[in-house]
Amino acid sequence: EMEAHIEEMDVGDTDAIEGKMEGFNYNIWGMKEPNYVMRMMATGGALFTEGCKSVARVWDNGTAKQFHYTQPYDWHFHYRHLVDDHNNKRHAIPFCEDSWNTDHWTFCVFTFLFAVTEVNVFLVHKFWTYRTDPSNLPVYVAFRRQLAWQFIDNPHLVSELKEANDSNVFKKDSPF
């Protein structure tokens, strides 16, 4: 239905089919390209072009058309690299999921969440601490090393362990 509808449109034209699934409204967006219809499903965006990127398509025969993306496509092309960049940092060697060799699902989930949090902390630190002078930003592996040492040398943990040890909380058979 959408394919036939958009096939009759000009390159760059966009339309949507509205739907509702499990109580959530969504749109299936379609944008006419020279040789195909690009479709995607999204819960946000509108057919507005104000503030969106201007692009051009050129055919083999030299024909060209310039148009503005609508919001969903503008957002898609503007932000699609963020997930790839985040995953590349998360999988920087040595990466947490590979270092902790386990098949137990709880540890797998923990290492995934820990790695995602580690990247988020780096990106927040980069944005808020080094945005005025990015030349002092440590490389990611140096940041990870600093973070690991902060976990190891955590002064709060040392005082808690000392208190626990002084109060004989640890039993004779305890591994601690």
Side-chain angles (χ1 to χ4, degrees), residues 125-171:
H125 191 57
K126 176 181 173 181
F127 181 79
W128 289 106
T129 307
Y130 295 100
R131 70 177 167 181
T132 56
D133 186 12
S135 65
N136 290 328
L137 176 70
V139 293
Y140 185 57
V141 71
F143 170 80
R144 293 173 84 192
R145 185 180 176 94
Q146 291 169 357
L147 182 64
W149 278 112
Q150 286 178 359
F151 283 133
I152 293 168
D153 292 334
N154 183 341
H156 301 291
L157 181 60
V158 170
S159 64
E160 286 179 17
L161 286 174
K162 184 174 178 354
E163 286 175 25
N165 194 29
D166 290 347
S167 65
N168 288 325
V169 169
F170 297 119
K171 306 289 184 217

Side-chain angles (χ1 to χ4, degrees), residues 2-15 30-38 47 49 55-59 63-70 73:
M2 174 180 266
E3 194 92 21
H5 171 67
I6 293 182
E7 196 62 42
E8 303 298 320
M9 301 169 89
D10 291 331
V11 170
D13 288 349
T14 308
D15 206 351
M31 180 177 69
K32 176 74 166 122
E33 290 282 1
N35 300 325
Y36 62 94
V37 174
M38 181 180 177
L47 291 174
T49 58
V55 294
R57 298 292 188 265
V58 180
W59 289 261
T63 307
K65 179 174 181 187
Q66 189 162 349
F67 61 95
H68 284 83
Y69 285 136
T70 53
Y73 289 94

Side-chain angles (χ1 to χ4, degrees), residues 110-131:
F110 172 77
T111 57
F112 168 77
L113 294 174
F114 182 79
V116 168
T117 302
E118 178 186 60
V119 173
N120 287 343
V121 168
F122 176 75
L123 295 174
V124 166
H125 191 57
K126 176 181 173 181
F127 181 79
W128 289 106
T129 307
Y130 295 100
R131 70 177 167 181

Side-chain angles (χ1 to χ4, degrees), residues 19-81:
K20 190 170 194 153
M21 181 184 294
E22 297 177 4
F24 290 97
N25 294 325
Y26 68 88
N27 289 310
I28 298 177
W29 302 96
M31 180 177 69
K32 176 74 166 122
E33 290 282 1
N35 300 325
Y36 62 94
V37 174
M38 181 180 177
R39 292 180 302 243
M40 67 179 169
M41 184 175 173
T43 57
L47 291 174
F48 303 134
T49 58
E50 185 177 328
C52 296
K53 182 179 179 180
S54 177
V55 294
R57 298 292 188 265
V58 180
W59 289 261
D60 291 338
N61 65 8
T63 307
K65 179 174 181 187
Q66 189 162 349
F67 61 95
H68 284 83
Y69 285 136
T70 53
Q71 273 185 345
Y73 289 94
D74 187 62
W75 294 347
H76 168 75
F77 288 113
H78 186 77
Y79 295 110
R80 67 182 173 180
H81 72 283

